[in-house]
Amino acid sequence: PGNEAERERERERERERERTYTSVTFSLPMPPLSMTFCARMQSWGLNTYLYGPKDDLKHRLLWREVYSHEEEGQLRTLIKEAQSRGLKFVYALSPGQDIVFSSSCDLTLLKRKLRQVSDLGCQAFAILFDDIDHSMCQADSEAFSSFAHAQVTVTNEIYRFLGEPAVFLFCPTEYCGSLCSPSVSKSPYLQTVGEDLLPNIAVIWTGSKVISRKLSVDCLAEVESVLQRSPLIWDNLHANDYDSRRLFLGPFKGREPQLRSHLRGLLLNPNCEFEANYIPLHSLASWYRTGKKERKGEVISEGKDGAERIMEQLEVAVMRPEMSRECEYCPDRALSAALRDWMQELNQPLQAGKKLVKGEMEGREGEKKSQPNHQPQGSRPSAPPGRGQKAQGWGLCGGKGLLSETQVRLLVGLYYLPHEHGPSAQKLLQDLTWLKANCHLVSANSKKTPPLKVSVCFLHCSVVSGANRAVLYDLYPYVWDLRNTALVAKAFISDLTVPSFSVWCGKTTGADQLGVESEPWTFKGGVSGEVQMLLPIGSSSDLFTHPPPLFPTSRLYNIRPYHSKDKVGEVPRKWYCFTHNGGQESSASHPDIVGDRCLGPCLALCPEYCFILEDELGACGCVLGILDVRCFAKRCQASWMPAMRDKYPPKGGNTHPNTQVKDLIQLMEEDQGEYPDSLIYHFPSQLRLDALPELVDVSVSRTLLTALLTALKANGSQGVFCEVQPTDRQRLEFLTKMGFLEILRGEARSREGVVLGRLL
């Protein structure tokens, strides 16, 4: 206060934020995508598109601002495209967050905004007051008797101002049964809406819940009576904007076909990802066609009244004579029909896909350098013998593969509907649950193969290899997430022991927590989240939620426990040669010494906490863990170090002919150095992670580390630490992103390394 210069700087910052909002963040559907979407809707018999994306800041946050000339052009293109396809374009505006209902200025700005859209050719509108606070400012409290009265007054005035359009929608703040106070029939808010809102304005309703599992005629009778009109259903069945790990590819389900005659319309709120909505919208059209009688394109409806005519106007268009008659809507049949049509598009490369693939290939090298797979900056060496030649052409898939219907059904089953899993997800969770109840049998009988068949990794490769790159980029983050979670589960199951079971059996799944009456967001993550919660470390969500790589790779990875026949010493040896220009000489004369130092103690004394990352060419990474550092150090001094002194004896007296080998032996001694009791008390376990320099997908390194943390947690560890050289910035950054915090630095003790720890 009193500082004019500071106030001016704040005003300039505010103006800069507004410029950023309108010029960068604001987005509209691109014309090619819009044309594809409109063409699909037209071919399926749908006839209405409601525009209300939250990433258009002028739809909600900046609702008072008019569109720029460029934005007008984009919106006009979308409106014209919809109308040319016979679709009703409904423009929705959400002013409820900060509108002052009694303000003539706000009302004028609202009219100006909608008049601008009307001048672009839009003839249908919606005013949305969902998800806002019920409280009113003092001016509104003095001008209106209630919150509902304020909303209805403004809505009626806007409706008249626009010339009473044939389609005008109103979304109340109490838009479902669970939000009504005290109940639907006794809600003063809904009673005011029903009595005072003009009768030709349709009221939006989502059902008993925000995301209703079922909609029936009986459940709508109560709200129809209160509103004094048939509601318009805003169906959130396939909406996934509340959970970044969930996708809904299943058919339209749980809605009685008889609803048609009791509704003004039904709008389906789809997935955020465009390509994920093929089956939902295709099956919605099948649902509407059910029960309709047809003869060569002419529709005959029984008992058609005003509500029925508006229903036809809002939701689904005229029937085509080639469509089959069905007496009952069957979601499974609708799914099969949608799959047949979708398969034709899935295996057709899009024109833009070639550019995407080209961009992928051009960005491949930069992506490898930017990924924190522990590579230092600088030139990258040639690929290791035996891997580089075979791996050439891997990494990014060229998009030439064909997805089978079986694979697509597997995908749909994994990402089905918000209240239920599809068959493939059910099978996956059933297998995990069986292992949860019978892991003592698996560990006691090593010859018995667990009934878990992880086909998710193969599905991941198939999606990446698919010809349709648009589908790939929409679905890839979800398939990638499930693949990584499944890799952790598979690695842990393969390493099951009786002590692990005592901890693991205490977890409950999302299916146990998610009741029929619960909203789907009460449990996050969908099938990935349920697999995660079956693991001992499942509550640590930060280990499972991280962004996918920018460039999808088709490599097939596997994480498994260490076997005595594994030759994993190549991993640390190649890494050492990569980071030490002079390391080749010692590695050539003593090829085992780097592996003996980096891996030997753990592989010899605690192999049950060693996991291997492999691809089709063999081992490409490993992580080693020590459950109890104190006990391990004693065992190492008693057995491992004497064996190393015998293996690498000094030659010619007290000097070794290779100074680097001598230094490494000395480092083996120092590796077993003492750690403070305060550190060991909170972080009793230790880990080491290594990966080959040419590892393409850094996300599998995170998954590999998560597999070890799961095993340590299952066997009682409460914390783990890792020692890193302060110059190894990429490893430090990697561990920091995995939730590790700096505990000790070299100046606090005799060693130079930085100690990072994480509680489990």
Side-chain angles (χ1 to χ4, degrees):
N3 190 333
E4 183 61 31
E6 178 60 30
R7 287 198 296 271
E8 179 58 32
R9 284 194 293 271
E10 178 60 31
R11 285 193 291 269
E12 178 59 31
R13 285 193 292 268
E14 182 65 28
R15 287 192 292 270
E16 180 61 31
R17 282 194 293 268
E18 291 180 0
R19 284 195 292 271
T20 302
Y21 288 154
T22 56
S23 62
V24 179
T25 311
F26 175 82
S27 64
L28 284 171
M30 296 300 292
L33 187 63
S34 303
M35 287 187 282
T36 302
F37 187 74
C38 292
R40 285 182 179 179
M41 293 183 66
Q42 181 188 33
S43 66
W44 294 334
L46 303 173
N47 76 347
T48 300
Y49 173 72
L50 185 143
Y51 174 86
K54 290 185 174 64
D55 59 350
D56 175 356
L57 296 182
K58 295 181 180 179
H59 156 74
R60 191 178 184 95
L61 182 62
L62 305 177
W63 63 268
R64 294 178 178 87
E65 297 188 14
V66 296
Y67 292 114
S68 66
H69 179 71
E70 180 182 359
E71 295 161 353
E72 277 188 338
Q74 291 179 306
L75 192 55
R76 183 185 291 108
T77 299
L78 181 58
I79 294 172
K80 288 184 176 179
E81 176 63 26
Q83 293 174 347
S84 68
R85 299 282 183 176
L87 306 177
K88 178 71 68 175
F89 182 92
V90 182
Y91 178 83
L93 198 65
S94 298
Q97 285 187 322
D98 60 356
I99 187 175
V100 178
F101 294 97
S102 58
S103 168
S104 59
C105 179
D106 270 2
L107 191 59
T108 299
L109 292 175
L110 183 59
K111 292 178 179 178
R112 181 185 68 165
K113 180 65 167 288
L114 294 176
R115 172 58 67 189
Q116 181 191 29
V117 178
S118 176
D119 291 341
L120 297 178
C122 183
Q123 301 172 353
F125 300 89
I127 299 293
L128 312 181
F129 293 110
D130 57 312
D131 302 330
I132 59 174
D133 188 5
H134 279 73
S135 61
M136 292 190 293
C137 64
Q138 183 176 355
D140 287 345
S141 299
E142 294 173 354
F144 302 104
S145 60
S146 68
F147 192 49
H149 182 215
Q151 292 181 355
V152 167
T153 301
V154 169
T155 302
N156 287 341
E157 183 167 347
I158 294 297
Y159 175 66
R160 295 190 181 101
F161 169 77
L162 292 172
E164 300 187 1
V167 176
F168 194 89
L169 315 181
F170 168 81
C171 182
T173 306
E174 295 183 3
Y175 56 82
C176 68
S178 61
L179 295 179
C180 295
S181 178
S183 64
V184 174
S185 60
K186 297 180 181 180
S187 167
Y189 177 92
L190 288 186
Q191 290 173 359
T192 301
V193 171
E195 293 170 359
D196 296 343
L197 191 68
L198 292 175
N200 289 330
I201 299 177
V203 179
I204 291 173
W205 186 253
T206 66
S208 60
K209 300 288 183 181
V210 177
I211 304 172
S212 298
R213 185 185 183 101
K214 293 183 178 180
L215 292 174
S216 64
V217 174
D218 293 339
C219 75
L220 295 179
E222 186 177 29
V223 68
E224 184 177 357
S225 174
V226 177
L227 295 177
Q228 303 180 25
R229 71 199 77 198
S230 298
L232 182 141
I233 293 297
W234 178 298
D235 203 330
N236 290 313
L237 183 64
H238 291 89
N240 69 332
D241 55 355
Y242 55 88
D243 192 339
S244 61
R245 300 178 71 187
R246 302 193 73 178
L247 192 70
F248 305 116
L249 304 177
F252 192 68
K253 188 176 182 181
R255 283 81 178 113
E256 297 178 355
Q258 294 78 11
L259 287 174
R260 290 179 57 258
S261 59
H262 296 269
L263 299 177
R264 285 202 174 187
L266 190 147
L267 298 171
L268 184 63
N269 189 13
N271 294 280
C272 295
E273 293 74 16
F274 173 77
E275 295 294 343
N277 294 308
Y278 193 99
I279 293 175
L281 292 177
H282 192 289
S283 56
L284 169 65
S286 298
W287 173 85
Y288 181 76
R289 290 195 299 268
T290 301
K292 295 281 286 183
K293 295 182 179 180
E294 61 183 18
R295 61 168 184 260
K296 294 186 178 182
E298 179 183 357
V299 180
I300 300 178
S301 59
E302 298 174 337
K304 184 181 296 184
D305 56 11
E308 176 75 8
R309 287 191 296 273
I310 298 177
M311 171 66 183
E312 290 182 33
Q313 204 176 53
L314 277 177
E315 261 317 284
V316 194
V318 296
M319 299 298 303
R320 296 176 297 171
E322 64 269 19
M323 295 178 179
S324 62
R325 291 187 180 92
E326 292 183 1
C327 297
E328 293 184 12
Y329 174 75
C330 175
D332 292 336
R333 283 201 301 266
L335 172 60
S336 297
L339 277 175
R340 285 193 299 271
D341 292 345
W342 198 25
M343 290 302 301
Q344 299 177 10
E345 290 197 17
L346 285 176
N347 292 322
Q348 289 182 359
L350 296 182
Q351 192 67 27
K354 297 179 181 179
K355 296 181 180 179
L356 289 172
V357 174
K358 180 180 178 182
E360 292 169 356
M361 301 306 293
E362 292 173 347
R364 181 73 257 142
E365 186 65 24
E367 172 67 8
K368 290 178 183 176
K369 291 180 180 179
S370 66
Q371 289 176 342
N373 60 353
H374 320 316
Q375 296 184 39
Q377 293 182 355
S379 61
R380 175 182 167 182
S382 59
R387 289 186 62 90
Q389 293 83 354
K390 294 181 181 179
Q392 193 171 12
W394 279 20
L396 260 155
C397 178
K400 297 180 180 179
L402 297 179
L403 283 167
S404 67
E405 184 172 336
T406 301
Q407 291 172 325
V408 179
R409 281 190 177 274
L410 171 63
L411 183 66
V412 173
L414 291 170
Y415 300 97
Y416 196 63
L417 289 173
H419 296 94
E420 62 178 309
H421 295 305
S424 48
Q426 293 177 22
K427 182 64 167 63
L428 177 63
L429 294 172
Q430 286 171 1
D431 287 347
L432 284 170
T433 304
W434 184 93
L435 287 165
K436 175 179 174 180
N438 298 279
C439 62
H440 59 288
L441 300 176
V442 177
S443 60
N445 182 7
S446 59
K447 295 182 180 180
K448 184 177 179 62
T449 302
L452 178 64
K453 298 179 180 179
V454 181
S455 54
V456 176
C457 296
F458 296 98
L459 176 64
H460 171 271
C461 292
S462 298
V463 171
V464 175
S465 302
N468 192 318
R469 312 308 282 171
V471 173
L472 161 65
Y473 281 98
D474 274 356
L475 303 187
Y476 178 73
Y478 300 94
V479 181
W480 170 86
D481 173 49
L482 182 56
R483 181 207 66 172
N484 288 351
T485 307
L487 282 176
V488 176
K490 182 176 180 293
F492 179 63
I493 288 167
S494 301
D495 197 45
L496 277 176
T497 61
V498 174
S500 302
F501 175 67
S502 62
V503 178
W504 191 37
C505 65
K507 299 295 181 181
T508 59
T509 69
D512 299 327
Q513 302 173 9
L514 192 62
V516 172
E517 298 302 321
S518 300
E519 294 284 8
W521 58 72
T522 57
F523 182 79
K524 294 287 187 179
V527 64
S528 297
E530 293 214 31
V531 173
Q532 170 188 325
M533 290 306 296
L534 285 169
L535 301 172
I537 204 167
S539 58
S540 300
S541 296
D542 60 309
L543 292 174
F544 297 89
T545 54
H546 38 83
L550 294 176
F551 305 102
T553 172
S554 60
R555 285 197 181 186
L556 184 63
Y557 291 101
N558 181 39
I559 297 175
R560 59 169 176 78
Y562 166 75
H563 300 150
S564 58
K565 62 182 179 181
D566 286 327
K567 296 180 180 180
V568 296
E570 284 292 287
V571 175
R573 185 181 71 81
K574 291 173 182 175
W575 172 246
Y576 181 81
C577 293
F578 179 79
T579 55
H580 297 74
N581 292 330
Q584 288 87 347
E585 181 182 350
S586 63
S587 297
S589 58
H590 294 276
D592 294 339
I593 194 167
V594 178
D596 285 341
R597 179 197 171 190
C598 298
L599 307 182
C602 293
L603 297 181
L605 303 179
C606 50
E608 64 273 20
Y609 298 107
C610 301
F611 291 89
I612 307 301
L613 173 65
E614 60 184 2
D615 56 21
E616 292 95 331
L617 302 180
C620 55
C622 61
V623 64
L624 301 92
I626 301 169
L627 182 65
D628 188 332
V629 173
R630 290 282 188 231
C631 179
F632 176 82
K634 294 178 181 178
R635 295 175 61 196
C636 194
Q637 290 296 334
S639 59
W640 179 253
M641 291 313 302
M644 291 298 97
R645 296 188 192 100
D646 292 340
K647 185 174 182 179
Y648 304 104
K651 298 179 180 180
N654 295 327
T655 60
H656 199 286
N658 191 321
T659 304
Q660 290 179 332
V661 172
K662 180 181 178 181
D663 292 342
L664 284 171
I665 294 177
Q666 183 178 355
L667 287 174
M668 288 185 190
E669 297 275 2
E670 296 177 359
D671 285 341
Q672 313 308 318
E674 288 293 319
Y675 293 98
D677 291 338
S678 58
L679 172 68
I680 302 302
Y681 179 79
H682 294 287
F683 307 94
S685 302
Q686 188 178 7
L687 69 85
R688 180 188 178 93
L689 177 68
D690 280 302
L692 286 180
E694 71 269 17
L695 183 64
V696 175
D697 187 353
V698 70
S699 68
V700 294
S701 296
R702 299 189 184 101
T703 306
L704 179 63
L705 178 56
T706 303
L708 172 62
L709 299 182
T710 300
L712 293 174
K713 173 73 172 179
N715 286 278
S717 176
Q718 64 179 8
V720 61
F721 71 92
C722 181
E723 188 169 4
V724 183
Q725 290 301 311
T727 56
D728 194 348
R729 295 186 179 276
Q730 290 188 338
R731 196 182 296 260
L732 287 169
E733 181 183 358
F734 173 81
L735 291 171
T736 300
K737 289 182 178 179
M738 292 294 290
F740 284 76
L741 301 176
E742 183 178 319
I743 307 298
L744 293 174
R745 270 195 176 266
E747 56 266 21
R749 51 202 195 90
S750 60
R751 299 160 64 94
E752 295 182 357
V754 179
V755 176
L756 297 94
R758 177 192 171 103
L759 296 175
L760 300 178

